[in-house]
């Protein structure tokens, strides 16, 4: 058996713990177990599934300190940041436990028969949503807890009634393993089928590709690079039976800086955006990688204040040496372009640290060079300076699909530039007014997804309770005898959940 170890992100030293690499010849057994577990798990009552999710939370709370310490070592993220992520992860488990019990995501719709209808009788139709089957989840490097072993993808798949196989991200294997142990323990404590949650390690693309290609895998959740996400989408589509890959990939999260607001508060917005850009060394999929403003004195003041604020930021450790290398390479490529002015870059205290940067480009050059539209993962923002409102609109029109868009503008700005921000809305999954794109609420109204290439499917969210929809599909029962229907679809509403009956939402029985 082959093993590997975690690495201290700050020092590069190997950490304790040997993690066994899952070989390709183990996949049949792994997926077979996941399929068997799925068949039992999908029929388990909602209240028991909710108990399982709540028990995972209790188990995680018991190892909170050890978990935060390990995640800090493996990722270089600060302990307060990891604590926030820990709380998000445990609250997310409670949120999904409640969602499972409520059952509104089953979207039950019943249209009763009408035998008198002419010229043909109307059949009895009863629709609901069923889980897809075993789901493969790729842990995300930048969310060691909230998007890894029992992060948003895993918890929403389990809530939907799917079994889950997690491929740990190789940059935090110890964190992932600790969490996985707690999930498996919770499964045993609450009587869940063996194999409802499995966790494997691997380095290199072989294992991930094998998991996606395996015929028993029914869906995939992924957060990471555009190249990684697209490679998995291609593999999934090339299977004899294609499956959905819900990939959250890159986004530059454009921020429109409108003139009145900028004139009023250049320093406030510079400081606010620098905090958003540099949080967790810029390693958020929502960090403001592109800003768009109009050439003006106010914008010049904003740039000066932005540089001053960047200079005050402390150097940070990135998640892994390869992510740091990718960042430095991306910055270097940008700096070499004639049309780009890397106006500020903070030299870090060591080559293991990263300092934040600001680059400038004019609107026309930005539109012409597709390279400038790509995410550089880390603390750098590109300010696109436009000659006038018409050029600003052309810049917005040239943008690719994004997770978020932001507009900084007062009432006068929003009236004058309404076509601008409304055009930006057509490119994004979430539009923020006078705020920052980082900070994603985990609630029912969140949509963390956006048009391609920010995600592989803009209909679905990776954050919030609607994330469950990715792992479900609708099925309709036509003229099925009442006692053969699933309980939730039978005439008597014993589960007491909301159902749409002949167009009306109610908790009543079917007459
Ligand atoms: P990544 O390279 O996309 O890897 C994420 C996961 O997918 C890893 O488990 C990786 O496996 C697997 N994978 C990647 N390409 C694959 C392929 N072709 N076939 C099979 N499996 C594949 O992301 P990362 O390691 O987190 O960071 C690398 C870069 O991704 C960053 O520098 C950044 O540019 C970007 N990134 C973006 C976001 C975002 O939110 N926008 C988040 C994280 C990273 P192995 O590592 O085991 O090989």
């Amino acid at each position: 058996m082959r093993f590997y170890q975690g690495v201290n992100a700050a020092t590069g030293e190997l950490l304790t713990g040997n993690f066994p690499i899952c070989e390709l010849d183990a996949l049949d057994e792994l997926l077979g177990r996941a399929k068997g577990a799925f068949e039992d798990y999908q029929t388990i009552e909602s209240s028991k599934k909710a108990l399982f999710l709540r028990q995972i939370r209790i188990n995680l709370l018991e190892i909170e300190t050890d978990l935060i310490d390990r995640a800090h070592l493996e990722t270089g993220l600060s302990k307060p940041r990891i604590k926030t992520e820990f709380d998000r992860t445990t609250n997310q488990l409670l949120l999904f436990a409640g969602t499972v019990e409520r059952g509104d995501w089953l979207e039950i719709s019943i249209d009763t028969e009408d035998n008198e209808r002419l010229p043909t009788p109307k059949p009895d139709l009863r629709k609901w949503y069923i889980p897809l089957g075993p789901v493969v989840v790729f842990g995300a490097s930048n969310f060691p807890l909230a998007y890894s072993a029992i992060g948003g993808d895993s918890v929403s798949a389990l809530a939907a009634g799917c079994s889950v196989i997690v491929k740990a991200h190789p940059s935090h294997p110890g964190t992932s393993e600790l969490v996985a142990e707690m999930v498996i323990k919770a499964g045993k404590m609450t009587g869940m089928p063996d194999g409802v949650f499995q966790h494997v390690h691997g380095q290199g693309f072989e294992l991930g590709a094998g998991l996606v290609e395996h015929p028993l895998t029914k869906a995939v959740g992924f957060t990471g690079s555009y190249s990684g996400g697209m490679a998995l989408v291609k593999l999934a589509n090339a299977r004899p039976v294609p499956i959905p890959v819900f990939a959250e990939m890159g986004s530059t999260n454009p921020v429109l800086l409108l003139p009145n607001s900028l004139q009023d508060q250049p320093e406030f917005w510079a400081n606010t955006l620098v905090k958003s850009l540099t949080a967790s060394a810029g390693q958020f999929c929502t960090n403001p990688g592109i800003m768009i403003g109009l050439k003006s004195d106010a914008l010049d003041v904003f740039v000066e204040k932005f540089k001053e604020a960047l200079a005050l930021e402390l150097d940070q450790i990135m998640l892994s040496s390869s992510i740091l290398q990718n960042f430095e390479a991306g910055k270097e490529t940008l700096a070499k372009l004639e049309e780009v002015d890397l106006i500020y870059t903070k030299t870090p205290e060591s080559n293991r640290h990263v300092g934040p940067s600001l680059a400038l480009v004019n609107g026309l050059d930005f539109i012409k060079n597709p390279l400038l539209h790509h995410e550089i993962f880390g603390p750098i923002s590109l300010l696109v300076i436009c000659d006038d409102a018409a050029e600003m609109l052309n810049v917005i029109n040239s943008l690719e699909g994004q997770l978020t868009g932001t507009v900084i503008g007062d009432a006068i700005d929003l009236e004058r530039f309404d076509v601008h921000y409304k055009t930006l809305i057509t490119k994004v999954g979430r539009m923020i007014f006078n705020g920052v794109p980082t900070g994603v609420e985990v609630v029912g109204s969140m949509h963390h997804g956006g048009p391609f290439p920010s995600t592989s499917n803009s209909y679905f969210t990776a954050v919030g309770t609607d994330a469950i929809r990715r792992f479900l599909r609708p099925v309709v029962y036509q003229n099925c005898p009442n006692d053969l229907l699933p309980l939730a679809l039978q005439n008597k509403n014993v589960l007491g959940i909301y159902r749409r009956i002949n167009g009306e939402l109610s908790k009543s029985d079917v007459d």
Side-chain angles (χ1 to χ4, degrees):
M1 195 179 266
R2 294 184 297 149
F3 291 87
Y4 79 117
Q5 285 173 265
V7 174
N8 183 321
T11 64
E13 285 160 7
L14 290 176
L15 293 166
T16 54
N18 284 314
F19 303 101
I21 290 176
C22 177
E23 306 292 352
L24 291 183
D25 59 11
L27 291 190
D28 283 345
E29 198 189 325
L30 193 78
L31 266 302
R33 209 177 307 127
K35 180 174 184 281
F38 166 67
E39 277 156 12
D40 293 340
Y41 181 65
Q42 63 171 333
T43 64
I44 285 176
E45 293 162 36
S46 304
S47 57
K48 290 193 179 146
K49 289 194 186 101
L51 208 64
F52 170 40
L53 300 185
R54 291 196 175 101
Q55 187 62 49
I56 300 173
R57 174 179 174 270
I58 293 168
N59 294 355
L60 287 177
L61 289 171
E62 279 173 13
I63 61 159
E64 177 175 343
T65 310
D66 288 348
L67 192 55
I68 291 176
D69 286 350
R70 180 76 192 200
H72 166 65
L73 288 178
E74 287 186 327
T75 64
L77 295 169
S78 71
K79 287 190 187 180
R81 147 71 207 266
I82 306 223
K83 165 67 176 151
T84 308
E85 201 181 318
F86 178 84
D87 291 345
R88 171 174 165 177
T89 309
T90 51
N91 289 335
Q92 194 163 254
L93 284 156
L94 283 186
L95 183 74
F96 275 96
T99 304
V100 172
E101 284 169 333
R102 232 179 20 257
D104 50 348
W105 47 275
L106 291 168
E107 286 192 41
I108 294 171
S109 182
I110 298 173
D111 283 284
T112 51
E113 66 182 1
D114 179 1
N115 288 324
E116 310 299 314
R117 193 181 72 172
L118 294 173
T120 51
K122 181 179 162 214
D124 182 277
L125 295 166
R126 302 186 183 215
K127 180 166 77 172
W128 76 335
Y129 282 74
I130 59 169
L132 293 181
V135 171
V136 167
V137 171
F138 287 78
S141 61
N142 57 340
F143 279 98
L145 299 173
Y147 267 82
S148 284
I150 193 66
D153 287 340
S154 301
V155 73
S156 54
L158 287 173
C162 297
S163 53
V164 168
I165 296 174
V166 174
K167 177 189 174 291
H169 195 284
S171 70
H172 55 256
T175 307
S176 206
E177 185 70 34
L178 278 174
V179 173
E181 281 167 13
M182 294 304 108
V183 180
I184 291 165
K185 186 172 153 193
K188 288 196 178 116
M189 289 168 81
T190 54
M192 294 298 123
D194 184 35
V196 70
F197 175 92
Q198 298 177 85
H199 180 256
V200 292
H201 294 278
Q203 270 182 319
F205 299 161
E206 246 190 5
L207 176 62
L211 284 165
V212 173
E213 286 176 326
H214 197 281
L216 295 182
T217 300
K218 296 297 179 206
V220 177
F222 168 91
T223 304
S225 62
Y226 175 78
S227 58
M230 285 312 291
L232 300 183
V233 168
K234 280 191 189 125
L235 287 175
N237 286 335
R239 292 167 38 128
V241 180
I243 52 167
V245 174
F246 300 102
E248 192 208 303
M249 305 177 284
S251 182
T252 56
N253 307 297
V255 179
L256 285 187
L257 303 166
L258 298 183
N260 252 6
S261 258
L262 215 56
Q263 176 99 37
D264 282 352
Q265 295 181 293
E267 187 166 4
F268 171 78
W269 284 117
N271 290 341
T272 304
L273 285 162
V274 163
K275 284 286 167 229
S276 172
L277 175 70
T278 57
S280 299
Q283 299 165 120
F284 283 123
C285 44
T286 50
N287 96 325
I290 287 181
M291 301 181 287
I292 306 165
L294 286 177
K295 194 181 276 178
S296 63
D297 291 345
L299 193 67
D300 291 345
V301 177
F302 171 82
V303 168
E304 283 313 307
K305 296 294 172 196
F306 202 95
K307 282 161 47 186
E308 283 170 30
L310 288 180
L312 295 175
E313 286 298 315
L314 298 176
D315 297 338
Q316 296 185 68
I317 298 287
M318 292 196 89
L319 294 163
S320 66
S321 55
S322 65
I323 286 187
L324 176 61
Q325 275 162 23
N326 285 348
F327 173 74
E328 293 299 347
K331 194 170 75 175
E332 210 176 300
T333 306
L334 202 66
K336 279 187 185 149
L337 295 173
E338 227 172 72
E339 66 269 34
V340 174
D341 179 7
L342 187 62
I343 192 167
Y344 181 83
T345 187
K346 187 161 188 261
T347 310
E349 64 192 63
S350 83
N351 61 7
R352 302 205 71 86
H353 288 82
V354 70
S357 302
L358 175 68
L360 311 181
V361 65
N362 74 48
L364 218 52
D365 288 332
F366 176 79
I367 293 167
K368 278 195 284 192
N369 189 348
L371 206 68
L372 299 175
H373 296 233
H374 295 164
E375 176 190 59
I376 300 176
F377 193 64
I380 184 166
S381 195
L382 177 65
L383 174 60
V384 185
I385 303 177
C386 306
D387 281 340
D388 51 33
E391 187 171 281
M392 190 182 232
L393 188 59
N394 290 339
V395 165
I396 297 166
N397 270 315
S398 76
L399 293 168
E400 299 181 311
Q402 307 286 340
L403 291 173
T404 75
T406 300
V407 57
I408 309 294
D410 63 14
I412 296 167
D413 284 326
L414 292 178
E415 198 182 334
R416 187 172 152 215
F417 292 89
D418 81 319
V419 65
H420 294 72
Y421 79 80
K422 285 177 183 163
T423 302
L424 186 53
I425 291 175
T426 67
K427 308 263 180 177
V428 308
R430 177 165 58 105
M431 186 75 193
I432 298 121
F433 292 78
N434 294 313
V436 293
T438 44
V440 182
E441 282 299 319
V442 187
V443 291
S445 322
M446 178 47 68
H447 183 74
H448 188 66
F452 185 84
S454 64
T455 71
S456 55
N457 192 328
S458 64
Y459 284 80
F460 297 97
T461 177
V463 177
T465 46
D466 279 354
I468 198 171
R469 294 179 193 280
R470 297 173 298 170
F471 305 117
L472 298 164
R473 72 173 180 86
V475 64
V476 178
Y477 289 76
Q478 182 164 333
N479 288 341
C480 178
N482 187 59
D483 54 349
L484 298 185
L485 283 166
L487 207 55
L489 299 183
Q490 291 184 5
N491 290 337
K492 198 154 176 47
N493 187 6
V494 285
L495 300 178
I497 52 179
Y498 274 107
R499 309 187 297 180
R500 203 171 66 218
I501 303 171
N502 296 322
E504 296 288 329
L505 204 58
S506 85
K507 283 189 178 180
S508 43
D509 298 335
V510 178
D511 297 333

